[in-house]
mmCIF file of all heavy atoms in Angstrom:
data_model
loop_
_atom_site.group_PDB
_atom_site.id
_atom_site.type_symbol
_atom_site.label_atom_id
_atom_site.label_comp_id
_atom_site.label_asym_id
_atom_site.label_seq_id
_atom_site.Cartn_x
_atom_site.Cartn_y
_atom_site.Cartn_z
ATOM 1 N N MET K 1 -137.052 114.498 75.962
ATOM 2 C CA MET K 1 -135.655 114.199 75.572
ATOM 3 C C MET K 1 -135.621 113.296 74.354
ATOM 4 O O MET K 1 -134.756 113.460 73.506
ATOM 5 C CB MET K 1 -134.937 113.624 76.783
ATOM 6 C CG MET K 1 -133.467 113.395 76.524
ATOM 7 S SD MET K 1 -132.689 115.018 76.350
ATOM 8 C CE MET K 1 -131.027 114.490 76.236
ATOM 9 N N LYS K 2 -136.533 112.278 74.334
ATOM 10 C CA LYS K 2 -136.603 111.372 73.206
ATOM 11 C C LYS K 2 -136.913 112.125 71.880
ATOM 12 O O LYS K 2 -136.347 111.829 70.852
ATOM 13 C CB LYS K 2 -137.614 110.267 73.486
ATOM 14 C CG LYS K 2 -137.662 109.212 72.430
ATOM 15 C CD LYS K 2 -138.682 108.167 72.787
ATOM 16 C CE LYS K 2 -138.792 107.088 71.712
ATOM 17 N NZ LYS K 2 -139.782 106.113 72.010
ATOM 18 N N ARG K 3 -137.764 113.089 71.974
ATOM 19 C CA ARG K 3 -138.182 113.869 70.774
ATOM 20 C C ARG K 3 -136.999 114.629 70.223
ATOM 21 O O ARG K 3 -136.769 114.704 69.025
ATOM 22 C CB ARG K 3 -139.299 114.774 71.144
ATOM 23 C CG ARG K 3 -139.830 115.562 69.927
ATOM 24 C CD ARG K 3 -141.039 116.408 70.291
ATOM 25 N NE ARG K 3 -142.178 115.582 70.182
ATOM 26 C CZ ARG K 3 -143.434 115.895 70.513
ATOM 27 N NH1 ARG K 3 -143.603 117.104 71.003
ATOM 28 N NH2 ARG K 3 -144.378 115.093 70.367
ATOM 29 N N VAL K 4 -136.156 115.189 71.089
ATOM 30 C CA VAL K 4 -134.981 115.977 70.684
ATOM 31 C C VAL K 4 -133.991 115.013 70.004
ATOM 32 O O VAL K 4 -133.367 115.344 68.954
ATOM 33 C CB VAL K 4 -134.331 116.683 71.890
ATOM 34 C CG1 VAL K 4 -133.004 117.273 71.488
ATOM 35 C CG2 VAL K 4 -135.237 117.749 72.406
ATOM 36 N N ALA K 5 -133.805 113.822 70.560
ATOM 37 C CA ALA K 5 -132.880 112.871 69.978
ATOM 38 C C ALA K 5 -133.367 112.385 68.617
ATOM 39 O O ALA K 5 -132.521 112.244 67.681
ATOM 40 C CB ALA K 5 -132.730 111.666 70.894
ATOM 41 N N ILE K 6 -134.644 112.266 68.450
ATOM 42 C CA ILE K 6 -135.134 111.829 67.117
ATOM 43 C C ILE K 6 -134.953 112.977 66.110
ATOM 44 O O ILE K 6 -134.515 112.713 64.985
ATOM 45 C CB ILE K 6 -136.671 111.509 67.218
ATOM 46 C CG1 ILE K 6 -136.861 110.201 68.007
ATOM 47 C CG2 ILE K 6 -137.329 111.421 65.863
ATOM 48 C CD1 ILE K 6 -138.298 109.893 68.363
ATOM 49 N N TRP K 7 -135.216 114.178 66.481
ATOM 50 C CA TRP K 7 -134.987 115.332 65.593
ATOM 51 C C TRP K 7 -133.485 115.447 65.247
ATOM 52 O O TRP K 7 -133.139 115.678 64.068
ATOM 53 C CB TRP K 7 -135.467 116.651 66.188
ATOM 54 C CG TRP K 7 -136.976 116.868 65.890
ATOM 55 C CD1 TRP K 7 -137.988 116.694 66.757
ATOM 56 C CD2 TRP K 7 -137.503 117.256 64.663
ATOM 57 N NE1 TRP K 7 -139.102 116.959 66.148
ATOM 58 C CE2 TRP K 7 -138.886 117.339 64.833
ATOM 59 C CE3 TRP K 7 -136.981 117.606 63.423
ATOM 60 C CZ2 TRP K 7 -139.745 117.715 63.799
ATOM 61 C CZ3 TRP K 7 -137.825 117.988 62.376
ATOM 62 C CH2 TRP K 7 -139.195 118.028 62.604
ATOM 63 N N ALA K 8 -132.638 115.335 66.192
ATOM 64 C CA ALA K 8 -131.212 115.399 65.930
ATOM 65 C C ALA K 8 -130.691 114.297 65.011
ATOM 66 O O ALA K 8 -129.974 114.525 64.085
ATOM 67 C CB ALA K 8 -130.410 115.375 67.248
ATOM 68 N N GLY K 9 -131.253 113.087 65.236
ATOM 69 C CA GLY K 9 -130.903 112.005 64.366
ATOM 70 C C GLY K 9 -131.392 112.204 62.929
ATOM 71 O O GLY K 9 -130.692 111.900 61.983
ATOM 72 N N ALA K 10 -132.574 112.718 62.822
ATOM 73 C CA ALA K 10 -133.150 112.975 61.483
ATOM 74 C C ALA K 10 -132.397 114.020 60.740
ATOM 75 O O ALA K 10 -132.117 113.925 59.515
ATOM 76 C CB ALA K 10 -134.597 113.408 61.630
ATOM 77 N N ILE K 11 -131.932 115.067 61.436
ATOM 78 C CA ILE K 11 -131.113 116.081 60.785
ATOM 79 C C ILE K 11 -129.781 115.577 60.333
ATOM 80 O O ILE K 11 -129.329 115.843 59.229
ATOM 81 C CB ILE K 11 -130.919 117.310 61.774
ATOM 82 C CG1 ILE K 11 -132.268 118.037 61.925
ATOM 83 C CG2 ILE K 11 -129.838 118.258 61.277
ATOM 84 C CD1 ILE K 11 -132.285 119.082 63.022
ATOM 85 N N VAL K 12 -129.140 114.726 61.144
ATOM 86 C CA VAL K 12 -127.876 114.104 60.773
ATOM 87 C C VAL K 12 -128.085 113.208 59.547
ATOM 88 O O VAL K 12 -127.272 113.231 58.610
ATOM 89 C CB VAL K 12 -127.294 113.303 61.971
ATOM 90 C CG1 VAL K 12 -126.115 112.435 61.537
ATOM 91 C CG2 VAL K 12 -126.877 114.265 63.055
ATOM 92 N N VAL K 13 -129.124 112.387 59.536
ATOM 93 C CA VAL K 13 -129.335 111.483 58.426
ATOM 94 C C VAL K 13 -129.690 112.304 57.178
ATOM 95 O O VAL K 13 -129.080 112.004 56.101
ATOM 96 C CB VAL K 13 -130.536 110.547 58.748
ATOM 97 C CG1 VAL K 13 -131.030 109.832 57.481
ATOM 98 C CG2 VAL K 13 -130.150 109.534 59.778
ATOM 99 N N LEU K 14 -130.461 113.342 57.204
ATOM 100 C CA LEU K 14 -130.732 114.165 56.075
ATOM 101 C C LEU K 14 -129.494 114.856 55.553
ATOM 102 O O LEU K 14 -129.267 114.934 54.299
ATOM 103 C CB LEU K 14 -131.786 115.189 56.399
ATOM 104 C CG LEU K 14 -133.211 114.684 56.517
ATOM 105 C CD1 LEU K 14 -134.165 115.758 56.986
ATOM 106 C CD2 LEU K 14 -133.681 114.089 55.195
ATOM 107 N N ALA K 15 -128.613 115.325 56.434
ATOM 108 C CA ALA K 15 -127.362 115.971 56.052
ATOM 109 C C ALA K 15 -126.469 114.928 55.290
ATOM 110 O O ALA K 15 -125.851 115.265 54.263
ATOM 111 C CB ALA K 15 -126.611 116.540 57.227
ATOM 112 N N LEU K 16 -126.394 113.744 55.810
ATOM 113 C CA LEU K 16 -125.556 112.706 55.167
ATOM 114 C C LEU K 16 -126.154 112.306 53.814
ATOM 115 O O LEU K 16 -125.365 112.064 52.864
ATOM 116 C CB LEU K 16 -125.474 111.458 56.086
ATOM 117 C CG LEU K 16 -124.547 111.639 57.298
ATOM 118 C CD1 LEU K 16 -124.639 110.431 58.244
ATOM 119 C CD2 LEU K 16 -123.126 111.896 56.899
ATOM 120 N N VAL K 17 -127.431 112.213 53.673
ATOM 121 C CA VAL K 17 -128.051 111.873 52.392
ATOM 122 C C VAL K 17 -127.816 113.030 51.371
ATOM 123 O O VAL K 17 -127.464 112.757 50.264
ATOM 124 C CB VAL K 17 -129.586 111.613 52.560
ATOM 125 C CG1 VAL K 17 -130.305 111.584 51.256
ATOM 126 C CG2 VAL K 17 -129.804 110.325 53.340
ATOM 127 N N ALA K 18 -127.933 114.253 51.786
ATOM 128 C CA ALA K 18 -127.692 115.439 50.892
ATOM 129 C C ALA K 18 -126.226 115.376 50.502
ATOM 130 O O ALA K 18 -125.947 115.554 49.292
ATOM 131 C CB ALA K 18 -128.029 116.681 51.626
ATOM 132 N N TRP K 19 -125.267 115.153 51.409
ATOM 133 C CA TRP K 19 -123.858 115.141 51.049
ATOM 134 C C TRP K 19 -123.608 113.999 50.091
ATOM 135 O O TRP K 19 -122.899 114.152 49.067
ATOM 136 C CB TRP K 19 -123.046 114.933 52.313
ATOM 137 C CG TRP K 19 -121.601 114.782 52.016
ATOM 138 C CD1 TRP K 19 -120.673 115.777 51.713
ATOM 139 C CD2 TRP K 19 -120.831 113.539 51.952
ATOM 140 N NE1 TRP K 19 -119.425 115.174 51.440
ATOM 141 C CE2 TRP K 19 -119.551 113.857 51.599
ATOM 142 C CE3 TRP K 19 -121.252 112.228 52.143
ATOM 143 C CZ2 TRP K 19 -118.581 112.872 51.437
ATOM 144 C CZ3 TRP K 19 -120.275 111.249 52.002
ATOM 145 C CH2 TRP K 19 -118.960 111.563 51.669
ATOM 146 N N GLY K 20 -124.188 112.799 50.308
ATOM 147 C CA GLY K 20 -124.013 111.662 49.444
ATOM 148 C C GLY K 20 -124.543 111.908 48.080
ATOM 149 O O GLY K 20 -123.866 111.578 47.090
ATOM 150 N N ALA K 21 -125.713 112.529 47.975
ATOM 151 C CA ALA K 21 -126.281 112.860 46.637
ATOM 152 C C ALA K 21 -125.367 113.834 45.903
ATOM 153 O O ALA K 21 -125.081 113.654 44.709
ATOM 154 C CB ALA K 21 -127.670 113.403 46.821
ATOM 155 N N LEU K 22 -124.916 114.871 46.565
ATOM 156 C CA LEU K 22 -124.033 115.827 45.891
ATOM 157 C C LEU K 22 -122.720 115.185 45.478
ATOM 158 O O LEU K 22 -122.135 115.481 44.437
ATOM 159 C CB LEU K 22 -123.809 117.060 46.786
ATOM 160 C CG LEU K 22 -125.008 117.951 46.980
ATOM 161 C CD1 LEU K 22 -124.714 119.015 47.981
ATOM 162 C CD2 LEU K 22 -125.424 118.580 45.654
ATOM 163 N N HIS K 23 -122.211 114.295 46.344
ATOM 164 C CA HIS K 23 -120.955 113.588 46.068
ATOM 165 C C HIS K 23 -121.042 112.801 44.823
ATOM 166 O O HIS K 23 -120.075 112.743 44.031
ATOM 167 C CB HIS K 23 -120.639 112.742 47.282
ATOM 168 C CG HIS K 23 -119.259 112.126 47.237
ATOM 169 N ND1 HIS K 23 -118.092 112.863 47.449
ATOM 170 C CD2 HIS K 23 -118.849 110.867 47.031
ATOM 171 C CE1 HIS K 23 -117.066 112.079 47.390
ATOM 172 N NE2 HIS K 23 -117.498 110.865 47.112
ATOM 173 N N ILE K 24 -122.229 112.228 44.553
ATOM 174 C CA ILE K 24 -122.422 111.389 43.313
ATOM 175 C C ILE K 24 -122.553 112.268 42.145
ATOM 176 O O ILE K 24 -122.038 111.935 41.057
ATOM 177 C CB ILE K 24 -123.615 110.480 43.509
ATOM 178 C CG1 ILE K 24 -123.293 109.434 44.573
ATOM 179 C CG2 ILE K 24 -124.052 109.886 42.200
ATOM 180 C CD1 ILE K 24 -124.509 108.647 45.048
ATOM 181 N N PHE K 25 -123.255 113.412 42.219
ATOM 182 C CA PHE K 25 -123.578 114.263 41.022
ATOM 183 C C PHE K 25 -122.485 115.215 40.630
ATOM 184 O O PHE K 25 -122.432 115.697 39.537
ATOM 185 C CB PHE K 25 -124.879 114.975 41.253
ATOM 186 C CG PHE K 25 -126.064 114.052 41.228
ATOM 187 C CD1 PHE K 25 -126.781 113.797 42.357
ATOM 188 C CD2 PHE K 25 -126.409 113.348 40.053
ATOM 189 C CE1 PHE K 25 -127.848 112.938 42.342
ATOM 190 C CE2 PHE K 25 -127.490 112.464 40.031
ATOM 191 C CZ PHE K 25 -128.202 112.246 41.207
ATOM 192 N N ILE K 26 -121.561 115.529 41.514
ATOM 193 C CA ILE K 26 -120.409 116.409 41.209
ATOM 194 C C ILE K 26 -119.403 115.551 40.448
ATOM 195 O O ILE K 26 -119.124 114.465 40.799
ATOM 196 C CB ILE K 26 -119.809 117.041 42.486
ATOM 197 C CG1 ILE K 26 -120.843 117.951 43.105
ATOM 198 C CG2 ILE K 26 -118.532 117.803 42.167
ATOM 199 C CD1 ILE K 26 -120.400 118.608 44.454
ATOM 200 N N SER K 27 -118.822 116.129 39.403
ATOM 201 C CA SER K 27 -117.903 115.374 38.541
ATOM 202 C C SER K 27 -116.627 114.907 39.240
ATOM 203 O O SER K 27 -116.120 115.555 40.164
ATOM 204 C CB SER K 27 -117.458 116.292 37.366
ATOM 205 O OG SER K 27 -116.764 117.384 37.816
ATOM 206 N N PRO K 28 -116.171 113.677 38.852
ATOM 207 C CA PRO K 28 -114.916 113.201 39.456
ATOM 208 C C PRO K 28 -113.719 114.011 39.033
ATOM 209 O O PRO K 28 -113.711 114.670 37.981
ATOM 210 C CB PRO K 28 -114.835 111.769 38.924
ATOM 211 C CG PRO K 28 -115.701 111.727 37.722
ATOM 212 C CD PRO K 28 -116.730 112.831 37.889
ATOM 213 N N VAL K 29 -112.669 114.006 39.806
ATOM 214 C CA VAL K 29 -111.435 114.733 39.521
ATOM 215 C C VAL K 29 -110.235 113.775 39.596
ATOM 216 O O VAL K 29 -110.251 112.782 40.313
ATOM 217 C CB VAL K 29 -111.198 115.927 40.419
ATOM 218 C CG1 VAL K 29 -112.303 116.951 40.236
ATOM 219 C CG2 VAL K 29 -111.107 115.503 41.876
ATOM 220 N N HIS K 30 -109.237 114.150 38.858
ATOM 221 C CA HIS K 30 -107.962 113.413 38.831
ATOM 222 C C HIS K 30 -107.161 113.901 40.042
ATOM 223 O O HIS K 30 -107.228 115.100 40.416
ATOM 224 C CB HIS K 30 -107.173 113.699 37.518
ATOM 225 C CG HIS K 30 -106.051 112.798 37.310
ATOM 226 N ND1 HIS K 30 -104.822 113.027 37.867
ATOM 227 C CD2 HIS K 30 -105.929 111.694 36.561
ATOM 228 C CE1 HIS K 30 -103.976 112.047 37.516
ATOM 229 N NE2 HIS K 30 -104.630 111.226 36.724
ATOM 230 N N PRO K 31 -106.353 113.073 40.671
ATOM 231 C CA PRO K 31 -105.605 113.465 41.852
ATOM 232 C C PRO K 31 -104.612 114.662 41.578
ATOM 233 O O PRO K 31 -104.293 115.436 42.483
ATOM 234 C CB PRO K 31 -104.805 112.250 42.269
ATOM 235 C CG PRO K 31 -105.510 111.081 41.644
ATOM 236 C CD PRO K 31 -106.227 111.602 40.466
ATOM 237 N N ASP K 32 -104.156 114.743 40.326
ATOM 238 C CA ASP K 32 -103.231 115.822 39.944
ATOM 239 C C ASP K 32 -103.912 117.160 39.496
ATOM 240 O O ASP K 32 -103.251 118.109 39.161
ATOM 241 C CB ASP K 32 -102.304 115.357 38.846
ATOM 242 C CG ASP K 32 -101.408 114.229 39.265
ATOM 243 O OD1 ASP K 32 -101.110 114.141 40.501
ATOM 244 O OD2 ASP K 32 -101.016 113.398 38.420
ATOM 245 N N GLN K 33 -105.253 117.154 39.516
ATOM 246 C CA GLN K 33 -106.018 118.282 39.058
ATOM 247 C C GLN K 33 -105.769 119.483 39.976
ATOM 248 O O GLN K 33 -105.794 119.347 41.232
ATOM 249 C CB GLN K 33 -107.529 117.968 39.090
ATOM 250 C CG GLN K 33 -108.450 119.128 38.666
ATOM 251 C CD GLN K 33 -108.311 119.412 37.194
ATOM 252 O OE1 GLN K 33 -108.463 118.528 36.375
ATOM 253 N NE2 GLN K 33 -108.146 120.684 36.870
ATOM 254 N N GLU K 34 -105.533 120.654 39.398
ATOM 255 C CA GLU K 34 -105.393 121.869 40.228
ATOM 256 C C GLU K 34 -106.782 122.539 40.332
ATOM 257 O O GLU K 34 -107.540 122.552 39.369
ATOM 258 C CB GLU K 34 -104.427 122.855 39.548
ATOM 259 C CG GLU K 34 -102.982 122.364 39.631
ATOM 260 C CD GLU K 34 -102.036 123.380 39.046
ATOM 261 O OE1 GLU K 34 -102.346 124.566 39.029
ATOM 262 O OE2 GLU K 34 -100.942 122.952 38.622
ATOM 263 N N ALA K 35 -107.056 123.066 41.466
ATOM 264 C CA ALA K 35 -108.369 123.753 41.688
ATOM 265 C C ALA K 35 -108.384 125.084 40.950
ATOM 266 O O ALA K 35 -107.362 125.798 40.916
ATOM 267 C CB ALA K 35 -108.580 123.980 43.147
ATOM 268 N N PRO K 36 -109.517 125.445 40.303
ATOM 269 C CA PRO K 36 -109.625 126.727 39.673
ATOM 270 C C PRO K 36 -109.646 127.851 40.684
ATOM 271 O O PRO K 36 -109.909 127.661 41.874
ATOM 272 C CB PRO K 36 -110.958 126.635 38.905
ATOM 273 C CG PRO K 36 -111.743 125.583 39.614
ATOM 274 C CD PRO K 36 -110.746 124.636 40.187
ATOM 275 N N THR K 37 -109.410 129.090 40.194
ATOM 276 C CA THR K 37 -109.463 130.236 41.057
ATOM 277 C C THR K 37 -110.797 130.406 41.667
ATOM 278 O O THR K 37 -111.845 130.236 41.043
ATOM 279 C CB THR K 37 -109.159 131.541 40.200
ATOM 280 O OG1 THR K 37 -107.936 131.297 39.508
ATOM 281 C CG2 THR K 37 -109.062 132.741 41.066
ATOM 282 N N GLY K 38 -110.839 130.626 42.960
ATOM 283 C CA GLY K 38 -112.058 130.849 43.725
ATOM 284 C C GLY K 38 -112.752 129.533 44.180
ATOM 285 O O GLY K 38 -113.750 129.555 44.847
ATOM 286 N N HIS K 39 -112.081 128.410 43.943
ATOM 287 C CA HIS K 39 -112.598 127.115 44.388
ATOM 288 C C HIS K 39 -112.399 127.035 45.856
ATOM 289 O O HIS K 39 -111.352 127.427 46.429
ATOM 290 C CB HIS K 39 -111.854 125.994 43.628
ATOM 291 C CG HIS K 39 -112.466 124.665 43.858
ATOM 292 N ND1 HIS K 39 -112.258 123.847 44.871
ATOM 293 C CD2 HIS K 39 -113.398 123.964 43.019
ATOM 294 C CE1 HIS K 39 -112.893 122.724 44.788
ATOM 295 N NE2 HIS K 39 -113.609 122.807 43.677
ATOM 296 N N PRO K 40 -113.343 126.463 46.634
ATOM 297 C CA PRO K 40 -113.190 126.255 48.053
ATOM 298 C C PRO K 40 -111.948 125.419 48.360
ATOM 299 O O PRO K 40 -111.604 124.504 47.623
ATOM 300 C CB PRO K 40 -114.433 125.486 48.444
ATOM 301 C CG PRO K 40 -115.415 125.792 47.431
ATOM 302 C CD PRO K 40 -114.683 125.974 46.167
ATOM 303 N N SER K 41 -111.256 125.817 49.431
ATOM 304 C CA SER K 41 -109.926 125.148 49.665
ATOM 305 C C SER K 41 -110.107 124.008 50.710
ATOM 306 O O SER K 41 -109.475 124.021 51.780
ATOM 307 C CB SER K 41 -108.939 126.194 50.200
ATOM 308 O OG SER K 41 -109.434 126.753 51.384
ATOM 309 N N SER K 42 -110.948 123.063 50.420
ATOM 310 C CA SER K 42 -111.057 121.874 51.247
ATOM 311 C C SER K 42 -110.524 120.691 50.474
ATOM 312 O O SER K 42 -110.090 120.770 49.319
ATOM 313 C CB SER K 42 -112.560 121.673 51.621
ATOM 314 O OG SER K 42 -113.264 121.377 50.419
ATOM 315 N N ALA K 43 -110.432 119.551 51.104
ATOM 316 C CA ALA K 43 -109.922 118.380 50.459
ATOM 317 C C ALA K 43 -110.874 117.960 49.312
ATOM 318 O O ALA K 43 -112.110 118.035 49.458
ATOM 319 C CB ALA K 43 -109.846 117.215 51.471
ATOM 320 N N CYS K 44 -110.299 117.545 48.234
ATOM 321 C CA CYS K 44 -111.097 117.221 47.016
ATOM 322 C C CYS K 44 -112.100 116.099 47.274
ATOM 323 O O CYS K 44 -113.220 116.152 46.788
ATOM 324 C CB CYS K 44 -110.165 116.796 45.882
ATOM 325 S SG CYS K 44 -109.128 118.130 45.258
ATOM 326 N N TRP K 45 -111.677 115.095 48.091
ATOM 327 C CA TRP K 45 -112.569 113.972 48.335
ATOM 328 C C TRP K 45 -113.863 114.321 49.066
ATOM 329 O O TRP K 45 -114.828 113.588 49.074
ATOM 330 C CB TRP K 45 -111.864 112.854 49.033
ATOM 331 C CG TRP K 45 -111.261 113.271 50.351
ATOM 332 C CD1 TRP K 45 -109.948 113.648 50.591
ATOM 333 C CD2 TRP K 45 -111.894 113.402 51.599
ATOM 334 N NE1 TRP K 45 -109.789 114.001 51.873
ATOM 335 C CE2 TRP K 45 -110.990 113.822 52.563
ATOM 336 C CE3 TRP K 45 -113.179 113.134 52.003
ATOM 337 C CZ2 TRP K 45 -111.295 114.067 53.867
ATOM 338 C CZ3 TRP K 45 -113.542 113.321 53.332
ATOM 339 C CH2 TRP K 45 -112.588 113.808 54.262
ATOM 340 N N ALA K 46 -113.865 115.566 49.690
ATOM 341 C CA ALA K 46 -114.983 115.948 50.449
ATOM 342 C C ALA K 46 -116.203 116.182 49.522
ATOM 343 O O ALA K 46 -117.343 116.024 49.954
ATOM 344 C CB ALA K 46 -114.729 117.218 51.266
ATOM 345 N N CYS K 47 -115.950 116.584 48.286
ATOM 346 C CA CYS K 47 -117.021 116.844 47.325
ATOM 347 C C CYS K 47 -116.971 115.942 46.076
ATOM 348 O O CYS K 47 -118.036 115.726 45.459
ATOM 349 C CB CYS K 47 -117.013 118.262 46.898
ATOM 350 S SG CYS K 47 -117.284 119.487 48.263
ATOM 351 N N HIS K 48 -115.791 115.510 45.698
ATOM 352 C CA HIS K 48 -115.602 114.757 44.471
ATOM 353 C C HIS K 48 -115.141 113.334 44.728
ATOM 354 O O HIS K 48 -114.529 113.071 45.707
ATOM 355 C CB HIS K 48 -114.494 115.409 43.611
ATOM 356 C CG HIS K 48 -114.740 116.848 43.211
ATOM 357 N ND1 HIS K 48 -115.426 117.154 42.085
ATOM 358 C CD2 HIS K 48 -114.442 117.992 43.773
ATOM 359 C CE1 HIS K 48 -115.518 118.463 41.961
ATOM 360 N NE2 HIS K 48 -114.944 118.984 42.998
ATOM 361 N N PHE K 49 -115.438 112.499 43.780
ATOM 362 C CA PHE K 49 -114.732 111.197 43.725
ATOM 363 C C PHE K 49 -113.337 111.506 43.125
ATOM 364 O O PHE K 49 -113.268 112.193 42.085
ATOM 365 C CB PHE K 49 -115.448 110.203 42.813
ATOM 366 C CG PHE K 49 -116.664 109.555 43.475
ATOM 367 C CD1 PHE K 49 -117.876 109.804 42.978
ATOM 368 C CD2 PHE K 49 -116.527 108.804 44.613
ATOM 369 C CE1 PHE K 49 -119.006 109.250 43.546
ATOM 370 C CE2 PHE K 49 -117.602 108.231 45.217
ATOM 371 C CZ PHE K 49 -118.888 108.442 44.742
ATOM 372 N N VAL K 50 -112.270 111.117 43.727
ATOM 373 C CA VAL K 50 -110.947 111.319 43.198
ATOM 374 C C VAL K 50 -110.438 110.037 42.578
ATOM 375 O O VAL K 50 -110.314 108.990 43.281
ATOM 376 C CB VAL K 50 -109.958 111.821 44.330
ATOM 377 C CG1 VAL K 50 -108.626 112.016 43.804
ATOM 378 C CG2 VAL K 50 -110.517 113.090 44.942
ATOM 379 N N THR K 51 -110.210 110.028 41.259
ATOM 380 C CA THR K 51 -109.914 108.823 40.577
ATOM 381 C C THR K 51 -108.854 109.073 39.466
ATOM 382 O O THR K 51 -108.893 110.142 38.842
ATOM 383 C CB THR K 51 -111.107 108.099 40.053
ATOM 384 O OG1 THR K 51 -110.665 106.979 39.335
ATOM 385 C CG2 THR K 51 -111.890 109.030 39.101
ATOM 386 N N GLU K 52 -107.972 108.134 39.253
ATOM 387 C CA GLU K 52 -106.974 108.273 38.161
ATOM 388 C C GLU K 52 -107.579 108.255 36.793
ATOM 389 O O GLU K 52 -106.996 108.750 35.853
ATOM 390 C CB GLU K 52 -105.924 107.116 38.299
ATOM 391 C CG GLU K 52 -105.117 107.089 39.542
ATOM 392 C CD GLU K 52 -103.940 108.063 39.487
ATOM 393 O OE1 GLU K 52 -103.547 108.426 38.354
ATOM 394 O OE2 GLU K 52 -103.481 108.469 40.530
ATOM 395 N N SER K 53 -108.793 107.702 36.678
ATOM 396 C CA SER K 53 -109.418 107.630 35.325
ATOM 397 C C SER K 53 -110.122 108.923 34.920
ATOM 398 O O SER K 53 -110.510 109.058 33.766
ATOM 399 C CB SER K 53 -110.449 106.518 35.330
ATOM 400 O OG SER K 53 -111.511 106.790 36.231
ATOM 401 N N ALA K 54 -110.224 109.918 35.795
ATOM 402 C CA ALA K 54 -110.815 111.203 35.439
ATOM 403 C C ALA K 54 -109.853 112.020 34.599
ATOM 404 O O ALA K 54 -108.591 111.889 34.790
ATOM 405 C CB ALA K 54 -111.190 111.990 36.714
ATOM 406 N N ASP K 55 -110.380 112.829 33.710
ATOM 407 C CA ASP K 55 -109.528 113.680 32.858
ATOM 408 C C ASP K 55 -109.070 114.898 33.689
ATOM 409 O O ASP K 55 -109.778 115.424 34.467
ATOM 410 C CB ASP K 55 -110.337 114.214 31.687
ATOM 411 C CG ASP K 55 -110.722 113.131 30.743
ATOM 412 O OD1 ASP K 55 -109.976 112.106 30.678
ATOM 413 O OD2 ASP K 55 -111.758 113.225 30.057
ATOM 414 N N VAL K 56 -107.780 115.314 33.419
ATOM 415 C CA VAL K 56 -107.253 116.533 34.008
ATOM 416 C C VAL K 56 -107.802 117.680 33.150
ATOM 417 O O VAL K 56 -107.558 117.696 31.956
ATOM 418 C CB VAL K 56 -105.733 116.531 34.085
ATOM 419 C CG1 VAL K 56 -105.223 117.829 34.621
ATOM 420 C CG2 VAL K 56 -105.249 115.382 34.938
ATOM 421 N N ARG K 57 -108.426 118.681 33.685
ATOM 422 C CA ARG K 57 -109.008 119.757 33.010
ATOM 423 C C ARG K 57 -108.242 121.064 33.252
ATOM 424 O O ARG K 57 -107.733 121.248 34.322
ATOM 425 C CB ARG K 57 -110.476 119.972 33.367
ATOM 426 C CG ARG K 57 -111.344 118.798 33.123
ATOM 427 C CD ARG K 57 -112.773 119.017 33.609
ATOM 428 N NE ARG K 57 -113.520 117.821 33.525
ATOM 429 C CZ ARG K 57 -114.696 117.678 34.080
ATOM 430 N NH1 ARG K 57 -115.236 118.653 34.774
ATOM 431 N NH2 ARG K 57 -115.366 116.518 33.979
ATOM 432 N N GLU K 58 -108.253 121.905 32.282
ATOM 433 C CA GLU K 58 -107.620 123.209 32.475
ATOM 434 C C GLU K 58 -108.532 124.103 33.307
ATOM 435 O O GLU K 58 -109.684 124.184 33.004
ATOM 436 C CB GLU K 58 -107.364 123.858 31.112
ATOM 437 C CG GLU K 58 -106.239 123.188 30.281
ATOM 438 C CD GLU K 58 -104.916 123.205 30.958
ATOM 439 O OE1 GLU K 58 -104.557 124.259 31.570
ATOM 440 O OE2 GLU K 58 -104.205 122.198 30.927
ATOM 441 N N PRO K 59 -108.007 124.700 34.387
ATOM 442 C CA PRO K 59 -108.873 125.541 35.223
ATOM 443 C C PRO K 59 -109.283 126.827 34.519
ATOM 444 O O PRO K 59 -108.697 127.344 33.620
ATOM 445 C CB PRO K 59 -108.022 125.886 36.429
ATOM 446 C CG PRO K 59 -106.655 125.329 36.197
ATOM 447 C CD PRO K 59 -106.686 124.560 34.861
#
């Protein structure tokens, strides 16, 4: 049982590290930015830093 808990914990930690790394490397977006066609329809903060200082880009 202890071995399963260690593996589960390691998988969770690796998933969080991967998400954190991607979150840092994906460009920031402005809160008023519209998502381009075909963009996943999840909350922007899940992948991007959302900040007023980011430029609004044309999709």
Side-chain angles (χ1 to χ4, degrees):
M1 186 66 176
K2 184 178 178 182
R3 183 175 276 175
V4 172
I6 290 172
W7 274 103
I11 290 170
V12 168
V13 168
L14 287 174
L16 289 173
V17 167
W19 175 80
L22 290 174
H23 189 72
I24 291 169
F25 291 111
I26 294 176
S27 62
V29 296
H30 193 278
D32 296 332
Q33 178 73 49
E34 291 185 24
T37 305
H39 191 274
S41 61
S42 62
C44 295
W45 58 263
C47 298
H48 299 271
F49 283 116
V50 178
T51 178
E52 295 280 338
S53 64
D55 294 331
V56 176
R57 301 179 187 166
E58 291 297 320

